[in-house]
Amino acid sequence: AKNFDSLLGTNVFSDQLLKNHFTLYQGYVTNTNKLVDTLALMTKDGKTGTPEFAELKRRFGWEFNGMKLHEFYFGNIKKGGVLLKKDSKLMEQIILDFGSYENFEKDFRATGAMRGIGWVVLYYDVLNKKLFNCWINEHDVGHLSGCIPILVMDVFEHAFMVDYGLKRADYIEAFFKAIDWSVCNNIIEMVSKY
């Protein structure tokens, strides 16, 4: 598991909320590692044709994506946030694909405000060189094949209920204040070269 304790003391998320969230993330890491070991052992023992193997193989996507999405999410935030530079590659791509930063943010926030639990992901389609805001159901349903996550926002209740209750819009506002846009820009600079 990665250590995200540097986020403690963030003014928009309480330490209690973050510590609870870190514990949940640790569970995904633990379960991913257990599944890797169990599936390898089942393969070695010739048990790949069993219903148990099939179900564990399906479960792997849930646990692995739960781990990775949390790593993107925590990696996207920083105490005080970091503004998106107007002359950055990401800002250039946002304006190209959404018409303006304001249009991007409006769409991202609206996606996050939709009813249900899940994730909002700003994806970059490497082949078509285009950004998309997407809703991800659960952890393993709704991902865009071949696309790279640039910005990830957790909209499961555990991400905001301790601090914001049912006020998801207030949580989204807080999230935007904590985004480290330099991390997001570094990702798109790296992947847009391919």
Side-chain angles (χ1 to χ4, degrees):
K2 294 183 178 184
N3 186 318
F4 295 104
D5 286 348
S6 64
L7 297 176
L8 295 174
T10 301
N11 62 344
V12 295
F13 302 125
S14 70
D15 286 354
Q16 179 186 355
L17 174 90
L18 288 170
K19 286 178 182 179
N20 289 348
H21 211 164
F22 298 160
T23 300
L24 182 76
Y25 157 67
Q26 177 64 51
Y28 290 114
V29 174
T30 299
N31 288 341
T32 296
N33 290 331
K34 283 180 186 176
L35 284 169
V36 166
D37 293 343
T38 302
L39 289 165
L41 184 60
M42 291 180 86
T43 300
K44 181 181 171 192
D45 292 344
K47 296 181 179 176
T48 57
T50 65
E52 294 82 8
F53 179 85
E55 289 309 309
L56 290 177
K57 200 66 152 169
R58 288 184 183 99
R59 183 69 186 188
F60 180 76
W62 163 265
E63 298 292 348
F64 183 87
N65 284 350
M67 175 183 69
K68 286 297 185 184
L69 286 166
H70 279 97
E71 289 174 357
F72 277 114
Y73 172 73
F74 294 131
N76 286 160
I77 57 179
K78 183 176 184 175
K79 288 181 194 175
V82 174
L83 295 175
L84 180 58
K85 293 182 179 178
K86 293 183 182 198
D87 63 345
S88 67
K89 171 69 177 163
L90 182 54
M91 180 65 88
E92 176 186 308
Q93 194 70 47
I94 284 173
I95 291 169
L96 180 67
D97 294 331
F98 292 94
S100 68
Y101 174 83
E102 292 74 22
N103 288 343
F104 150 75
E105 186 174 324
K106 188 181 205 181
D107 184 75
F108 192 93
R109 286 176 182 259
T111 305
M114 294 180 347
R115 289 178 52 85
I117 55 170
W119 301 84
V120 182
V121 179
L122 172 63
Y123 274 114
Y124 181 69
D125 179 354
V126 177
L127 294 177
N128 293 307
K129 311 280 190 222
K130 186 165 175 60
L131 293 168
F132 298 96
N133 287 326
C134 293
W135 177 264
I136 306 303
N137 286 324
E138 304 295 331
H139 302 150
D140 53 348
V141 179
H143 292 279
L144 300 180
S145 296
C147 295
I148 306 294
I150 303 297
L151 176 66
V152 174
M153 181 173 66
D154 190 340
V155 286
F156 278 80
E157 288 90 350
H158 63 256
F160 61 89
M161 291 279 290
V162 169
D163 290 351
Y164 296 98
L166 297 175
K167 298 176 182 173
R168 191 185 295 206
D170 291 351
Y171 160 69
I172 294 170
E173 181 67 29
F175 173 78
F176 267 87
K177 289 178 182 173
I179 295 172
D180 184 348
W181 285 107
S182 66
V183 169
C184 303
N185 189 64
N186 288 344
I187 295 169
I188 199 162
E189 282 186 354
M190 181 178 60
V191 300
S192 65
K193 294 175 184 175
Y194 298 102

